[in-house]
Amino acid sequence: MKTVVCSEPFTLNIEQRPRPRRGKGEVLIQVNRVGICGTDYHIFAGNQPFLSYPRVMGHELAGSIVEADAASVFKPGQIVTINPYLACGQCVACRKGKPNCCVGIRVLGVHADGGMAELIAVPEEALVEVDGLTLDQAAMVEFLSVGAHAVRRGKVQPADRVLVVGAGPIGIAAAIFAKAEGGEVTLIDTSIERLQYARDHLGFDRVERVEGDIAERLGGQTGGEFFDVVFDATGSPHAIEAGFAYVAHGGTYVLISVVKGEIKFSDAEFHKREMQLVGSRNATAADFRRVISAIRDGMVPAAAMHTHSFLLEEAATQIPELIANQSKVIKAIGRFSDGEFAP
């Protein structure tokens, strides 16, 4: 089968690998769609802190069942998405119902080879039913779930003033679900193109470009009180550190981004505001179900978010181009040139 392998930073190759053998309790999936996200960009550039090379990327997946155990609830030909966060089920986090931050978590495409391959075998419990969704929509469930999980972690309430820093796919996802909870959402980013797209095509009226007096403008917008909940989805240490100043007294700061190195902030300001600093990692099955329901109900502008498509055989040239043009990309979805791709 064809497989896209990142053998080292900045190097992608198409390799022929043996068809995976399905173990008991596993399901063999034909991969029909692979979404590309910031994690994949970081892997390609050598900036992902939890990864070793070579690696088959790809964790935003949609596919069709090829083989399953006779007693499985999933049947050949059925369309599914995959929860790529494979947890141990026994550690302190798993025992508390938090498999998304399992001590020994294996994330497909990061800790283990992912879905940039024509076939993949995964545990049946990792599959998520997506009846009623197209393949493209199913491939978008994972990153939308990351945003939905962050909003759940931030406990957004109706009429909360919400700031989302970073108008990429994860930031947009957080903004969508914060808005669904009744939050008054403002988006900021360094890219005017992304902000204009979010305003003109995704329904976000409050957008501000990060430049010059951004803190003064945000303060003026809120009567000097700033925001009840702030989400960082930038992947930038500088942006994360700047974001502490945007949190209102009694507010919450949710870090979705994962960056290498240390983050510094003023302890005096942190305590003065009695700020809550919250980490948000991955997503849970409940978040996947929430997102699938929201897509079915038309609450998520999935078609507008899907801005780019490409063939995975051309990943070596296409992914660098997507990175170079990130300001114009919300969600890129790849597929192999052969195989069945109809919803």
Side-chain angles (χ1 to χ4, degrees):
M1 66 174 183
K2 284 180 286 190
T3 306
V4 181
V5 180
C6 187
S7 56
E8 60 184 6
F10 304 105
T11 304
L12 293 171
N13 299 299
I14 303 296
E15 296 183 4
Q16 288 290 336
R17 290 192 174 184
R19 175 190 177 107
R21 292 188 176 183
R22 179 181 67 85
K24 184 175 176 57
E26 291 187 329
V27 179
L28 186 65
I29 308 294
Q30 177 182 351
V31 179
N32 301 125
R33 297 288 190 276
V34 182
I36 308 300
C37 83
T39 296
D40 301 309
Y41 295 159
H42 293 156
I43 292 170
F44 179 76
N47 296 324
Q48 218 292 333
F50 304 127
L51 179 132
S52 59
Y53 298 89
R55 180 61 68 225
V56 177
M57 301 187 297
H59 61 277
E60 299 180 6
L61 308 175
S64 50
I65 306 292
V66 177
E67 297 175 2
D69 290 343
S72 173
V73 299
F74 294 98
K75 304 304 177 186
Q78 183 176 359
I79 302 301
V80 295
T81 190
I82 297 173
N83 183 335
Y85 316 121
L86 307 183
C88 73
Q90 300 176 348
C91 72
V92 59
C94 288
R95 294 197 306 270
K96 292 180 178 179
K98 298 180 178 181
N100 57 298
C101 56
C102 167
V103 173
I105 198 167
R106 295 171 63 248
V107 180
L108 296 177
V110 180
H111 307 92
D113 282 345
M116 284 194 187
E118 291 183 294
L119 296 164
I120 188 172
V122 299
E124 180 171 329
E125 57 266 27
L127 301 186
V128 184
E129 175 271 320
V130 292
D131 289 352
L133 270 60
T134 67
L135 283 167
D136 287 338
Q137 289 172 335
M140 300 173 78
V141 169
E142 188 275 340
F143 85 85
L144 288 164
S145 298
V146 172
H149 181 75
V151 169
R152 188 154 61 91
R153 292 281 289 153
K155 300 180 180 179
V156 173
Q157 301 296 313
D160 274 353
R161 287 183 293 218
V162 176
L163 178 68
V164 178
V165 186
I170 299 297
I172 293 292
I176 287 170
F177 287 95
K179 188 175 181 180
E181 294 298 328
E184 299 174 356
V185 177
T186 298
L187 272 169
I188 66 173
D189 199 290
T190 57
S191 168
I192 190 64
E193 292 94 342
R194 277 187 167 175
L195 292 173
Q196 288 174 340
Y197 195 88
R199 182 191 62 205
D200 297 341
H201 299 281
L202 303 178
F204 294 100
D205 298 327
R206 298 183 179 93
V207 298
E208 292 282 350
R209 189 176 187 184
V210 178
E211 60 179 356
D213 61 347
I214 181 63
E216 292 181 20
R217 282 182 280 137
L218 293 176
Q221 178 181 315
T222 58
E225 294 182 340
F226 289 95
F227 297 87
D228 302 298
V229 188
V230 177
F231 296 93
D232 178 87
T234 64
S236 163
H238 175 74
I240 292 173
E241 291 179 354
F244 281 88
Y246 307 148
V247 183
H249 281 240
T252 300
Y253 192 15
V254 182
L255 303 184
I256 314 174
S257 298
V258 179
V259 298
K260 287 185 175 181
E262 298 179 351
I263 300 298
K264 298 179 181 179
F265 59 91
S266 166
D267 181 67
E269 285 295 324
F270 178 77
H271 277 84
K272 184 173 71 174
R273 302 176 192 212
E274 199 179 54
M275 186 190 308
Q276 294 187 72
L277 180 59
V278 177
S280 182
R281 188 180 184 193
N282 303 327
T284 67
D287 301 308
F288 274 67
R289 292 191 294 269
R290 166 80 167 106
V291 166
I292 291 167
S293 177
I295 294 174
R296 286 176 178 149
D297 292 343
M299 193 191 85
V300 176
M305 296 180 72
H306 178 192
T307 55
H308 292 72
S309 298
F310 69 100
L311 294 177
L312 287 168
E313 289 95 338
E314 300 173 359
T317 57
Q318 290 295 308
I319 288 180
E321 288 186 16
L322 291 169
I323 293 173
N325 294 284
Q326 283 185 66
S327 63
K328 299 178 181 178
V329 179
I330 301 298
K331 179 51 57 180
I333 298 177
R335 65 173 178 85
F336 286 105
S337 58
D338 49 6
E340 294 294 331
F341 300 114

